Amino acid sequence: MPYTAEAFQNEFLALGATEVNSIITVTSSGAEGGRRTSGATEIIIVDASGSMQAEGRIQAARQAAKTAVECIDDGVNFAIIAGVSTAQQLFPAPGRLAVSSAETRADAIRSIDRLQASGGTAMGAWLLLAAQLFAQRPGDIAHAILLTDGDNGERAGYLEQVLASIAGKFTCDSRGVGVNWKVSELRKIADALLGTVDIVANPAGLAAAFEQMMTKAMGKTSADVQLKVWTPVNSTVRFVKQVEPEVADLTGKRVDDGPRAGRYPLGSWGAESRDYHVCIDVQPGAAGDEMLAARVSVVEGDTVHAQSLVRAVWTEDTALSTRINRQVAHYTGQAELAETIQAGIEARKSGDDRTATLKFGRAAQLAHASGNKATEELLATVVDIEDAATGTVRLRRKVEAADEMALDTRSTKTVRVGRSQ
């Protein structure tokens, strides 16, 4: 699979400076002919707790699950889990995976009609069963869809314990339907399992959401791509973050690879492009000193697909050292935007209107300056934006729960910067 890795940075540092920043754009053209380089397994997890009876959610969930099943390519392994107080495999027989064909998809669709809403919510148990099923197919492109409508009912800390034990085993996209679920719970799942989280406020939107997720999953052609960062002696990685298409901090997911290198998981890939912010701490140099601060490689197992170099050059010329790289500045702003929105939501929930107004004002300013129109529109459902350029906003007295949750879940979505300096 052809990959490229391109570094965008200002390599010139002022004397005494020790921090090197670079945006690495990784692009893949996908496997030749769109063929997967390994097998694939899909698991659909549908909340079937008692609360799903409300507002026609269980009927919409059945239709969404059927739509997703119809999108599964021939030859892909799959299963369906009904999520209640325990995890119950709905299709195929417990402990097994089905191989997708016209016949097995039809059988699965018939089994979905048996999905009834009763019982509680136990996301840890649901994900644990999914992990056990995925374990039958090591090396596959492993992807799950999880749908819920409520709070997790398991004992405190159990979901986190499960996530720690299954991290890296599969990716999982989570969706919450309605407004009675916790964004923080689904975000934990998304962060641990390199997936996404979003709200489907109206059950009528579930089928389209499931179709989009499954279609995207079917486009993945490589299972386990990683960013390998090598640093020389006296240099260390401060952080590695995905910054586009959304913000995700990968720093804590590092796995050491020899004394000077570490690998950061990027999940499964198809034909796509993503941006990463790599920050390196180095020893300061003298004027004219030049060093390789990091070597960043896109790897899959022992195969190196692409490589990019991060450099540092110390200079007394302030015109060079103070020039801000557009990509680095843009994505630093996008990361601040996500953090500021989440801080604003927390402040508003705790009744601290002054802090909420300041945070949302700064967020409106950042969204406007970076051209992130989608986030600016979401902010406008929670505050009245009087002047986005100066960050002047007023809190709305009445805010729909679904609007606030949409702003929260989508706060990490970023826009790409233009490539001209």
Side-chain angles (χ1 to χ4, degrees):
M1 182 189 286
Y3 285 84
T4 59
E6 191 177 2
F8 296 89
Q9 67 164 135
N10 177 15
E11 63 266 36
F12 293 104
L13 301 180
L15 297 186
T18 60
E19 183 183 313
V20 184
N21 288 280
S22 180
I23 300 299
I24 310 291
T25 294
V26 178
T27 305
S28 163
S29 57
E32 199 178 328
R35 289 187 298 275
R36 294 182 188 93
T37 55
S38 64
T41 301
E42 286 289 334
I43 296 178
I44 301 165
I45 306 168
V46 180
D47 186 338
S49 60
S51 57
M52 286 288 288
Q53 287 174 8
E55 300 169 4
R57 287 179 206 150
I58 196 68
Q59 291 86 345
R62 280 192 210 114
Q63 189 49 55
K66 290 176 183 179
T67 302
V69 165
E70 285 166 353
C71 296
I72 300 174
D73 293 343
D74 283 354
V76 171
N77 296 276
F78 76 104
I80 303 164
I81 292 171
V84 285
S85 307
T86 56
Q88 297 175 358
Q89 193 168 337
L90 193 66
F91 182 85
R96 300 184 62 181
L97 291 165
V99 178
S100 180
S101 66
E103 188 181 347
T104 57
R105 288 192 295 272
D107 289 343
I109 284 166
R110 278 191 292 275
S111 77
I112 290 166
D113 285 325
R114 301 200 310 269
L115 197 61
Q116 298 298 327
S118 68
T121 305
M123 295 182 217
W126 308 346
L127 291 166
L128 201 53
L129 175 57
Q132 288 161 1
L133 291 169
F134 282 127
Q136 296 177 26
R137 299 278 311 173
D140 269 17
I141 300 168
H143 173 255
I145 292 172
L146 183 147
L147 173 71
T148 189
D149 78 332
D151 290 355
N152 193 36
E154 294 168 314
R155 65 175 164 80
Y158 183 68
L159 176 60
E160 291 80 358
Q161 193 183 320
V162 169
L163 290 172
S165 73
I166 65 174
K169 306 279 196 254
F170 61 98
T171 58
C172 182
D173 290 317
S174 302
R175 296 295 179 265
V177 61
V179 295
N180 297 322
W181 53 281
K182 280 202 183 98
V183 174
S184 59
E185 285 181 345
L186 293 198
R187 182 169 280 132
K188 272 179 199 160
I189 295 170
D191 288 349
L193 301 178
L194 299 176
T196 59
V197 55
D198 204 353
I199 182 173
V200 184
N202 187 333
L206 281 176
F210 271 47
E211 181 175 15
Q212 182 191 20
M213 286 186 283
M214 191 60 85
T215 302
K216 190 176 174 188
M218 289 299 102
K220 301 295 184 187
T221 48
S222 281
D224 186 16
V225 181
Q226 297 165 330
L227 205 64
K228 180 176 175 178
V229 182
W230 174 90
T231 50
V233 174
N234 296 330
S235 297
T236 52
V237 177
R238 183 183 295 185
F239 65 75
V240 175
K241 293 177 183 174
Q242 178 181 285
V243 288
E244 202 276 341
E246 55 186 273
V247 178
D249 194 346
L250 304 175
T251 313
K253 298 180 188 295
R254 175 187 172 108
V255 175
D256 286 340
D257 184 1
R260 308 285 341 139
R263 291 178 178 234
Y264 301 84
L266 309 186
S268 53
W269 276 65
E272 58 191 293
S273 182
R274 304 180 205 169
D275 291 342
Y276 299 90
H277 185 170
V278 176
C279 181
I280 308 291
D281 288 319
V282 296
Q283 294 289 317
D289 281 1
E290 199 171 317
M291 74 172 284
L292 176 63
R295 187 169 59 235
V296 181
S297 310
V298 180
V299 299
E300 208 175 342
D302 295 329
T303 306
V304 178
H305 289 299
Q307 207 167 73
S308 193
L309 304 178
V310 179
R311 297 169 63 239
V313 182
W314 282 270
T315 180
E316 291 174 300
D317 185 343
T318 52
L320 288 176
S321 62
T322 58
R323 193 178 65 199
I324 295 168
N325 177 270
R326 236 177 120 219
Q327 282 76 10
V328 172
H330 174 81
Y331 285 126
T332 301
Q334 294 290 287
E336 186 192 343
L337 174 58
E339 287 165 15
T340 306
I341 287 171
Q342 286 166 28
I345 288 169
E346 285 308 309
R348 189 181 164 279
K349 280 180 184 167
S350 65
D352 184 352
D353 288 357
R354 185 176 171 279
T355 300
T357 304
L358 285 170
K359 294 292 184 186
F360 286 138
R362 176 63 177 150
Q365 198 176 24
L366 287 164
H368 180 74
S370 64
N372 194 332
K373 288 189 174 61
T375 298
E376 200 174 342
E377 285 167 13
L378 287 166
L379 275 164
T381 66
V382 175
V383 292
D384 291 317
I385 301 174
E386 292 176 0
D387 185 354
T390 60
T392 308
V393 303
R394 272 185 307 109
L395 288 186
R396 291 188 166 201
R397 281 214 182 90
K398 184 164 169 33
V399 175
E400 295 293 332
D403 288 334
E404 186 173 82
M405 291 171 81
L407 174 63
D408 195 353
T409 58
R410 296 168 194 167
S411 62
T412 53
K413 290 192 191 310
T414 55
V415 290
R416 181 160 265 183
V417 67
R419 284 304 183 208
S420 59
Q421 284 291 345

